[in-house]
Amino acid sequence: MNATIKDYLMLHLIVLIWGFTAILGLLISLPAIELVFYRTLIAAVGVAVLFLLKKRNLLLPFPDMIKVMGVGFVIAMHWILFFWSARVSTASVCLAGMATISLWTAFVEPLFNSTKVKWYEVGLGLMAISGLLVIFSFESGYWLGLGMALASAFCGAVFSVLNSKITHKHNPYQITFYEMAGACLFTVLFMPIYSGFLTGEGLNLAWGGYDWFWLLVLGGICTVYAFSVSVELMKRLSVFSINLTVNMEPVYGIVLAVLIFGESEKMTPQFYLGTGIILMSVLSYPVLNYLNRRRKPVRPLG
């Protein structure tokens, strides 16, 4: 992995874009699963049109196609829980819960890759959790939203690790297409359970107001572009370093939410103290990672 400063700057741009998705979830009138259905459908169609215009082959070997679409199932669950969390709480609470993704990754990545758990990754993950505890020791009434955000963060860690295993084999946009197609299929299969048993409210697929515009932004910029670039960055950055930087999503998203929604998104000073702790965990990772590499013994030649 030969990451450059440009890669890290690009990663922060992508995380900034992702920080806007919780806000889009509130700007769009559709419920969570219907929103994810349209998001993944627009993204899959958008990538297919792009490949068609460039006259490039979109097909993958069938076994790889099934694997990539399977990852899409996990992505769909991640997004459904993410937007659902924002609806039952606030965009800020949803984004703060997503900060646990680095802690989940610290355990999930070694499990999938059969490697040792790194103490400093667990420590930084716990540091992010402590920031979360600071936030919710002073903010009550959001536990359902927090629980959904935590489950969403776990799914995010799982699909990031799975994605890291396939990024070197295929074009990022091919991966994006089949993952979005798989995610779209999952939402269709999950709709009867969601509408019949979990909410009992039926489905609402009708657009209203400017939903069409925000859905295009969500499907085009926040999904096709941001998702494909993140897949490409996985070739040079570790999954943990990516997901730790994703902890900045609450910081970016909360600032944007306060600017857009005003008083409804403003929290207590302790909330911002907690996000500051999360930010410290993100900034500490490159230093600890560098020190850990220097501690490794150099094998003698010959």
Side-chain angles (χ1 to χ4, degrees):
M1 296 184 184
N2 297 314
T4 64
I5 296 297
K6 182 180 177 181
D7 290 330
Y8 286 104
L9 291 175
M10 183 59 69
L11 177 59
H12 277 273
L13 173 62
I14 297 306
V15 173
L16 175 63
I17 292 172
W18 284 340
F20 190 62
T21 57
I23 295 168
L24 288 174
L26 296 177
L27 291 174
I28 298 170
S29 64
L30 294 169
I33 195 165
E34 291 91 328
L35 192 157
V36 174
F37 168 72
Y38 281 122
R39 177 183 189 176
T40 53
L41 179 64
I42 291 170
V45 171
V47 175
V49 170
L50 184 65
F51 269 72
L52 184 64
L53 292 175
K54 291 187 175 183
K55 297 180 180 180
R56 298 178 62 179
N57 183 24
L58 190 58
L59 295 178
L60 293 179
F62 185 73
D64 291 345
M65 186 190 304
I66 296 300
K67 289 178 182 178
V68 178
M69 290 186 71
V71 177
F73 277 39
V74 182
I75 293 171
M77 202 67 245
H78 163 64
W79 282 342
I80 290 170
L81 289 165
F82 177 82
F83 289 116
W84 206 349
S85 169
R87 288 297 175 88
V88 300
S89 55
T90 69
S92 298
V93 170
C94 170
L95 290 164
M98 286 300 296
T100 59
I101 193 169
S102 57
L103 180 62
W104 292 124
T105 306
F107 291 105
V108 171
E109 188 173 15
L111 182 64
F112 277 80
N113 297 331
S114 300
T115 57
K116 292 182 179 180
V117 175
K118 297 176 181 176
W119 67 268
Y120 62 91
E121 290 187 354
V122 175
L124 291 176
L126 290 173
M127 188 175 177
I129 291 290
S130 69
L132 201 62
L133 291 175
V134 169
I135 290 170
F136 285 96
S137 63
F138 293 91
E139 300 287 346
S140 59
Y142 297 121
W143 290 107
L144 178 59
L146 174 62
M148 290 180 176
L150 293 174
S152 176
F154 174 76
C155 292
V158 171
F159 91 71
S160 296
V161 173
L162 293 175
N163 254 355
S164 69
K165 292 179 171 293
I166 58 177
T167 54
H168 297 279
K169 295 181 63 177
H170 306 294
N171 180 285
Y173 285 93
Q174 284 179 306
I175 294 172
T176 299
F177 171 76
Y178 286 104
E179 287 185 345
M180 293 304 100
C184 187
L185 175 61
F186 178 88
T187 59
V188 172
L189 296 175
F190 189 64
M191 278 179 179
I193 300 173
Y194 173 86
S195 60
F197 297 100
L198 297 179
T199 64
E201 298 177 355
L203 294 173
N204 176 24
L205 294 170
W207 298 0
Y210 288 97
D211 283 353
W212 62 272
F213 174 75
W214 297 123
L215 282 169
L216 287 176
V217 173
L218 182 63
I221 298 174
C222 299
T223 308
V224 174
Y225 173 73
F227 197 83
S228 299
V229 172
S230 71
V231 171
E232 174 65 26
L233 289 174
M234 284 182 181
K235 295 179 180 180
R236 297 179 295 279
L237 302 175
S238 73
V239 178
F240 184 85
S241 65
I242 289 175
N243 281 346
L244 189 67
T245 306
V246 170
N247 285 338
M248 287 294 292
E249 188 176 338
V251 181
Y252 295 145
I254 289 166
V255 171
L256 291 171
V258 170
L259 291 175
I260 294 172
F261 296 117
E263 292 295 329
S264 66
E265 286 291 336
K266 287 186 177 178
M267 298 292 185
T268 63
Q270 289 78 12
F271 184 93
Y272 301 104
L273 172 62
T275 57
I277 294 173
I278 293 168
L279 175 59
M280 286 176 61
S281 72
V282 175
L283 298 177
S284 299
Y285 175 74
V287 178
L288 293 176
N289 192 41
Y290 171 75
L291 293 174
N292 182 67
R293 288 181 177 178
R294 289 197 63 183
R295 288 179 58 192
K296 291 181 179 179
V298 179
R299 294 181 180 179
L301 297 176

